[in-house]
Amino acid sequence: MHTRNSIFISGAAAGIGRATTLLFLEAGWQVGAYDRDTDGLAKLANDVAESARERLITGVLDVTENTSWQDALADFAQHNDGKLNLLFNNAGILYSGAFEAISLEAQQRMIEVNVQGVLAGCYLARPYLEAAAVDGPNTARVINMSSASAIYGQPKLAIYSASKFAVRAITEALELEWADQGIKVMDVMPLFVKTAMVADMQGDSMRRLGVRLTPQMIAATVYRMAHYKGSRIHWYVGRQTKLMALASKISPSWLVRLSNKWISR
């Protein structure tokens, strides 16, 4: 009989997903690490401590394909009595630059991965989360990977920013809608994180603000969120992000716009 908490992580082969996998394994969780990058998953499995390898399940997942989600979730759930305690919708991609300089196909791809991937994950994981929720309060939850880019639309990150606004909206709506089902929904909203995603990023905002967060810092926040029993929905990571979020709430709209204009130039 399965007694451990279980977490399913999309985009687990590198960056934040990898760091989160390692942290939750260290904490004794059953972890499903799924990604399109099979080589990255193999390296991840090889780097896991011998004592934790039996609690790691890896598999292929293309978050833009519904059948891939269905197969991956069913594969992981069979190790956990058909239940899932935590879905971490982490997979995402980023293309940056002037709006007209990024191909239409690349921008549409961001919507497919960052928005439709989260939509499919939430929709198809819900039965497994609902099965876990019957065990008591705070036993089922979703954590979506959003971004500080969802605080205000960012120049040279227009569609990435839009995709994270969508993730924020999904989070807020489902947090209300699923409360009666015992499923908690939250998102994590960091600024720039030291991952391959921002290595070639174009944008004055990153040069002005710097890259101060690490994957391990985000993983630690996700771990705190996994045990949180309060009502907070949006988790801002890092002092800069928290100040930006606070300013957006208390400042007039013209000042928020002016601040973002300064940051991005």
Side-chain angles (χ1 to χ4, degrees):
M1 179 66 69
H2 166 69
T3 57
R4 293 190 181 95
N5 286 326
S6 59
I7 178 174
F8 183 105
I9 303 171
S10 67
I16 294 168
R18 174 188 167 89
T20 304
T21 296
L22 295 172
L23 178 58
F24 276 76
L25 283 172
E26 183 180 349
W29 285 54
Q30 184 96 348
V31 180
Y34 289 77
D35 203 302
R36 291 181 62 188
D37 180 5
T38 54
D39 290 340
L41 288 176
K43 185 177 186 306
L44 170 64
N46 187 63
D47 292 342
V48 169
E50 186 71 33
S51 59
R53 287 181 184 173
E54 65 174 13
R55 289 185 281 105
L56 174 65
I57 294 92
T58 63
V60 177
L61 171 63
D62 181 343
V63 297
T64 68
E65 297 289 340
N66 294 343
T67 53
S68 184
W69 267 111
Q70 290 169 330
D71 292 344
L73 287 164
D75 174 62
F76 184 59
Q78 70 177 337
H79 298 277
N80 300 283
D81 299 336
K83 300 177 182 180
L84 175 60
N85 297 111
L86 173 54
L87 168 66
F88 181 29
N89 274 316
N90 167 69
I93 60 173
L94 181 153
Y95 296 101
S96 61
F99 179 76
E100 66 278 8
I102 305 172
S103 73
L104 178 59
E105 291 76 15
Q107 303 207 49
Q108 290 171 328
R109 180 66 177 169
M110 276 191 281
I111 298 298
E112 288 178 344
V113 174
N114 299 357
V115 182
Q116 293 176 199
V118 169
L119 162 62
C122 289
Y123 189 93
L124 296 171
R126 192 198 59 79
Y128 302 106
L129 293 162
E130 193 173 37
V134 301
D135 292 335
N138 299 302
T139 57
R141 64 189 66 200
V142 176
I143 297 175
N144 294 322
M145 193 70 216
S146 187
S147 166
S149 296
I151 296 173
Y152 194 91
Q154 295 297 302
K156 297 188 179 179
L157 290 169
I159 302 308
Y160 177 79
S161 184
S163 74
K164 295 306 182 179
F165 267 95
V167 170
R168 176 174 182 158
I170 291 170
T171 300
E172 291 174 350
L174 292 184
E175 187 275 330
L176 293 169
E177 188 172 337
W178 286 0
D180 290 342
Q181 300 176 38
I183 303 172
K184 185 181 290 293
V185 185
M186 299 173 283
D187 61 22
V188 55
M189 301 178 69
L191 204 55
F192 306 113
V193 184
K194 293 178 183 177
T195 67
M197 184 183 290
V198 303
D200 299 316
M201 179 180 156
Q202 300 178 40
D204 295 325
S205 57
M206 186 179 74
R207 285 188 288 272
R208 190 176 289 274
L209 296 173
V211 182
R212 304 186 183 189
L213 302 175
T214 66
Q216 291 73 25
M217 293 167 70
I218 310 305
T221 299
V222 172
Y223 187 77
R224 290 195 299 273
M225 295 168 75
H227 297 86
Y228 178 68
K229 297 180 181 180
S231 58
R232 192 192 324 177
I233 302 169
H234 304 300
W235 290 64
Y236 303 102
V237 186
R239 181 181 300 177
Q240 288 176 315
T241 315
K242 292 174 182 176
L243 288 173
M244 289 171 63
L246 178 62
S248 71
K249 293 177 181 178
I250 65 176
S251 301
S253 58
W254 66 266
L255 183 56
V256 174
R257 177 186 177 278
L258 187 63
S259 298
N260 278 273
K261 183 178 180 180
W262 176 82
I263 289 171
S264 62
R265 290 188 179 179

